[in-house]
Amino acid sequence: MLLIGLTGSLATGKSTVSTLLSQSPYNLPIIDADVLAREVVEPGTPGYNNILKHFQSTTPDLLLQSPNERKGRPLNRAALGRRVFGSTPSRQRDRKILNSIVHPAVRWAIAKSILYHYLCGQWAVVLDIPLLYDSRLDIFAP
């Protein structure tokens, strides 16, 4: 199976290319790392639980107020971003912790998706991974 790596910075046309490749005549499945990164930290997942374990006691607004969630309140991504983005040593440390939780989960989700499409007989899959090289995910699309 052919793995097609699609990478680039913000506003470089990845979504446009993904859309074109997912439609006729190509009809290729798209594995979107950004979508997977959100899925692996949804309430009830191991990623969500690990984020709570590491950040909840020191980030009071880490969870959104949403009483209808059965598996747990969703993460307040803005609050988590304020906690991990910046140049201070503590924020850099927290970002490394967050990446150590999210990146392996995304890698596993990508691997499962590739296997699924392979078993379904797809001849090619597009891996839409903005940080393909930075995250060392080019192992999937050399």
Side-chain angles (χ1 to χ4, degrees), residues 83-99:
R83 174 69 189 269
V84 301
F85 293 118
S87 58
T88 65
S90 65
R91 289 191 178 178
Q92 290 175 350
R93 183 192 70 242
D94 289 343
R95 188 166 50 252
K96 285 182 183 178
I97 291 169
L98 180 62
N99 287 342

Side-chain angles (χ1 to χ4, degrees), residues 20 28 31 33-34 40-41 46 54 59 78 86 88 103 111:
L20 289 171
L28 295 177
I31 299 173
D34 286 341
V40 301
V41 296
H54 287 283
T59 312
T88 65
H103 288 187

Side-chain angles (χ1 to χ4, degrees), residues 8-114:
S9 302
L10 234 60
T12 56
K14 292 182 305 297
S15 295
T16 301
V17 173
S18 287
T19 300
L20 289 171
L21 293 174
S22 70
Q23 297 172 351
S24 185
Y26 310 107
N27 298 316
L28 295 177
I30 309 296
I31 299 173
D32 188 329
D34 286 341
V35 170
L36 294 177
R38 287 181 176 271
E39 290 176 358
V40 301
V41 296
E42 288 180 351
T45 64
Y48 174 86
N49 295 333
N50 284 329
I51 288 172
L52 292 185
K53 179 178 143 187
H54 287 283
F55 297 107
Q56 189 171 24
S57 65
T58 56
T59 312
D61 58 344
L62 181 62
L63 300 176
L64 295 172
Q65 297 298 327
S66 181
N68 295 334
E69 294 293 327
R70 289 184 304 203
K71 295 183 180 181
R73 292 168 32 205
L75 291 173
N76 182 344
R77 297 174 64 84
L80 187 57
R82 286 190 299 273
R83 174 69 189 269
V84 301
F85 293 118
S87 58
T88 65
S90 65
R91 289 191 178 178
Q92 290 175 350
R93 183 192 70 242
D94 289 343
R95 188 166 50 252
K96 285 182 183 178
I97 291 169
L98 180 62
N99 287 342
S100 75
I101 294 168
V102 175
H103 288 187
V106 170
R107 281 186 181 93
W108 178 241
I110 289 170
K112 289 191 306 185
S113 294
I114 290 170

